[in-house]
Each structure stands twice: as C-alpha cells, then as structure tokens.
Amino acid sequence: MDNISLLDKLEKQLLEKQEFVSLISSYTEKDAEYAAEKARAIAQSIYGKSVYIRGLIEVSNYCKNDCYYCGIRRSNLKCERYRLTKEDILECCEHGSQLGLHTFVLQGGEDLHYTCGEICDIVSSIKKLHPDCCVTLSIGEKSFEEYKAYREAGADRYLLRHETANEWHYSKLHPESMSLKNRMNCLLQLKELGYQTGAGMMIGTPFQTAEHLAEDMLYLGTLKPHMVGIGPFIPHKDTPFAKEKSGDVDLTVFLLSLSRIMLPHALIPATTALGTASGTGRERGILAGANVVMPNLSPMSVRKKYMLYDGKISTGSESADALKDLAKRMESIGYHIDLSRGDHADYKQ
Ligand code: 5AD
C-alpha cells in the first residue's frame, strides 16, 4: 500500500506495525503535507481553531531518577537544585489566573521531599482559590494510593510520557531501577482513576528506530490517552547523551499528524522542545494537528535551572505582553489562543 493510502487507512482504523514502520521510514515531504492537512482538518472539526493555553509551573528540579537523556537527572551534580514552596506555587497560579489562564500544570522531577499530604494540600489549595481552573500534575511514577489521593484532592489531569514503548529501547534510555512495565502500569491506573491522562515520547532519542516509533504509535492507539506529548530529543551537555544528535523536526511534526489522525479528540501540545529545536516549531506543530501550547509560568529566578535539555526556550506567560506575543504568533497562522479549561471533548465534568 502506498503512503497516502496508509494515511487514509489510519483515519479509519489502527495500522499494523509493519504499515507504521513503512510509513515512518519512507514518508516524503508530500506525504507529510497530506498528513498535516488531514490532521488539521480533524482537529478543526472538533476543536475549531482554538489553541489551548496551559500555564506550566516547574515546581522542583530535584529528581531521584537518573534517566540518561535528562538534564535534571540525579547524577548531574552541575544542576543547581531548587524546589518551590506551596506559597510560591500559589503565587504562580494567582499570576496565571490574572492573565486569564484556566489550567495549571505542576511539573517536576521525582522529588521525594514533598509528601503525599503536601501535594494534596497544594492541589486542594489551588482548586479552592481557583475553582474554575484545572490542575494537571506531571510529577512522575507514584503508587496507586498516591494517585488516588491527588485525584481526591482535586487533580484533574496527569501527564506521564511513556518515553518509548519498546522494552529494549527503554533499557537503553533508563537505568535498571526503572521499568517500562511500571510506567505503563501507572498510565493504566491514572486512566482508571478518571484523570485525563497524557502519554507520549521523544523523537530521535539514541538507539531509536522506525520500529520503536511504530510500537509507540500502536501503544498510543491502544491506550487512547487524552493527551499526547511528542517532542524532539535534544541533548543536554551534562548527561551521558551529551554528544548525541538531536531528533529530527520534520519527523516530529509528522508524528504529531499521525497521532492526531489516530486519536482525533486528543489534546496535543506543540511542545517546548519543538519550539527549541526550531524557531517556528510550535507554529508548525499547530499546522500539523497540535492544539495546545504550554507557556512557562515558573518564577523567573528558577527558569534557567529547569534545563531538561540544552537551549530550552522559556517564552512564557510571565507577563501579559508575552501572552499577547503568543497570541499574535497563533493569529499569524490563522489560529487563536483559547484560555478556557480546554477539556478533552469526551470529558464530562
Ligand atoms: N530532550 C527532549 N525532551 C526531554 N525530556 C527530558 N529530557 C529531554 C531531552 N533531553 C522530556 C521527557 C519528559 C518531559 C518532561 O521532558 O519526555 O517526559
């Protein structure tokens, strides 16, 4: 089957692994444009030309894990560590709320300092002060009981990228202490608890093949997450992957389109990594079917410390001006920023 027919097939049903492999390894510029057009049309039929805005608060860069690709890994002794207090986080939310935002994403390394009770307290305080806002957590692998407690405290969504769906590849990116099985198990638990759940992967990590990406697509097709985060791998100078090359922007954009075609209702960000790898990356992402942007709401004093990869951009919603700038960028490609909660279309409150 040719690539155009495969893209048409993907719109109706899940492709088989070999079909994904062939699409991913042999797509042309024309195929990518066809996929982007299709993906855009699907996104617009469900969400219109809205680009949902999430305020990202990077709560801590302490991490117990040692992922080989990540700049805030435990072994990176050059990373200057910080942790926001509850008051800091509430201040960020207040600021975001004044700008009109309705989703706060609390992201951090797996920092053992915060107890479950503290996280619940932070979540419930945000919900109390901003009852019409959504709280998204992105703080890694926890126990079912912890996920349950956060949910009961009011957390609405959870982001946990699976990173790669292939066991062997997973073991090349992570130390032995981490397992893909556990990560996938966490994702199932999050869904079961009623979180709008996000999975996803990096494109172009060391050792990644078209087969691995095909497995990522199959995994996303079966898990059916509400959100899909896909960005290019970008090396960080103080990690074991310092000398590796960055992921390909075109391939990243193509996979965004495939994800949109496969999961029409998904909320798909044009990621910061995509915006870092290419100055027009986020616009390209939206034009390929993405419909979310996550500007940075973290305090200015900690922005440079949350360096997951080299050169990470920090265009934020730190000021009304920065948000206006983002709005202008989206308008320049025929879209508009949407400050509402932006729930998944299937989600009933
Ligand atoms: N390049 C690109 N993305 C990265 N992430 C972590 N390190 C890197 C890197 N070097 C991504 C991971 C993680 C998310 C928060 O950031 O996919 O889940």
Side-chain angles (χ1 to χ4, degrees):
M1 214 186 282
D2 63 31
N3 288 343
I4 297 293
S5 314
L6 286 175
L7 289 164
D8 289 338
K9 183 176 172 191
L10 178 60
E11 199 174 353
K12 297 183 199 89
Q13 68 192 84
L14 199 55
L15 298 184
E16 305 208 349
K17 182 169 164 188
Q18 271 322 308
E19 295 176 314
F20 270 123
V21 172
S22 117
L23 193 53
I24 290 165
S25 49
S26 75
Y27 79 97
T28 63
E29 211 175 298
K30 252 196 178 151
D31 299 331
E33 189 39 48
Y34 184 79
E37 264 170 41
K38 200 185 262 300
R40 264 198 313 268
I42 294 171
Q44 286 171 23
S45 72
I46 298 162
Y47 294 106
K49 288 195 155 191
S50 286
V51 175
Y52 297 105
I53 305 298
R54 323 296 197 196
L56 182 65
I57 306 171
E58 295 156 338
V59 295
S60 166
N61 69 356
Y62 282 88
C63 192
K64 74 173 173 67
N65 292 329
D66 220 10
C67 309
Y68 305 146
Y69 46 83
C70 186
I72 66 167
R73 65 197 300 266
R74 182 183 67 213
S75 295
N76 181 8
L77 302 179
K78 291 196 181 145
C79 174
E80 204 185 311
R81 306 286 166 172
Y82 75 89
R83 171 183 299 125
L84 300 185
T85 63
K86 174 185 170 187
E87 289 66 37
D88 295 331
I89 297 170
L90 290 179
E91 210 173 290
C92 290
C93 294
E94 177 54 35
H95 185 69
S97 171
Q98 279 170 17
L99 291 170
L101 307 192
H102 286 88
T103 294
F104 304 116
V105 181
L106 274 46
Q107 185 176 90
E110 290 195 21
D111 183 351
L112 295 173
H113 173 89
Y114 297 110
T115 63
C116 180
E118 278 168 335
I119 292 173
C120 291
D121 178 44
I122 292 170
V123 170
S124 63
S125 304
I126 298 174
K127 296 294 286 193
K128 203 163 154 195
L129 289 163
H130 309 285
D132 54 346
C133 290
C134 239
V135 173
T136 305
L137 293 176
S138 178
I139 51 174
E141 296 176 26
K142 306 282 176 179
S143 67
F144 182 82
E145 287 67 35
E146 286 168 293
Y147 286 149
K148 186 160 180 278
Y150 308 156
R151 180 90 183 108
E152 283 165 3
D156 304 276
R157 307 181 185 143
Y158 206 103
L159 301 176
L160 184 74
R161 289 191 183 171
H162 65 281
E163 312 295 0
T164 171
N166 177 277
E167 287 275 4
W168 177 82
H169 188 216
Y170 193 90
S171 77
K172 301 297 278 183
L173 304 182
H174 304 94
E176 254 174 63
S177 54
M178 295 178 72
S179 85
L180 178 59
K181 225 190 195 157
N182 192 52
R183 207 149 180 99
M184 289 179 162
N185 207 13
C186 287
L187 281 159
L188 288 179
Q189 293 177 347
L190 290 162
K191 278 197 92 180
E192 186 187 327
L193 286 164
Y195 283 98
Q196 292 178 64
T197 304
M201 65 282 185
M202 289 172 281
I203 307 303
T205 40
F207 310 102
Q208 188 179 61
T209 64
E211 284 225 357
H212 298 149
L213 287 173
E215 289 175 35
D216 286 324
M217 293 309 291
L218 290 178
Y219 175 64
L220 292 172
T222 13
L223 178 70
K224 296 188 175 59
H226 303 88
M227 301 168 285
V228 180
I230 296 179
F233 160 73
I234 301 172
H236 184 290
K237 61 181 184 0
D238 303 315
T239 63
F241 290 163
K243 297 266 165 344
E244 302 289 339
K245 58 178 198 317
S246 290
D248 186 74
V249 170
D250 294 335
L251 181 58
T252 305
V253 170
F254 185 56
L255 278 145
L256 286 177
S257 296
L258 296 189
S259 305
R260 167 64 63 204
I261 297 169
M262 186 172 77
L263 300 169
H265 292 88
L267 289 150
I268 303 180
T271 54
T272 305
L274 186 56
T276 300
S278 155
T280 53
R282 275 173 309 176
E283 288 86 341
R284 284 190 62 193
I286 299 297
L287 290 171
N291 65 338
V292 171
V293 177
M294 300 169 65
N296 203 320
L297 257 191
S298 308
M300 280 298 185
S301 56
V302 305
R303 294 249 179 121
K304 287 205 168 60
K305 298 180 186 159
Y306 199 80
M307 275 293 159
L308 303 180
Y309 42 83
D310 290 337
K312 180 166 159 272
I313 53 165
S314 179
T315 39
S317 43
E318 63 272 6
S319 65
D321 277 354
L323 198 58
K324 267 191 205 136
D325 186 63
L326 188 58
K328 250 196 228 149
R329 274 171 174 255
M330 295 301 125
E331 277 156 26
S332 77
I333 53 166
Y335 285 73
H336 58 265
I337 64 166
D338 186 325
L339 299 178
S340 69
R341 282 173 53 115
D343 285 299
H344 188 271
D346 293 350
Y347 177 77
K348 308 266 175 306
Q349 221 189 327

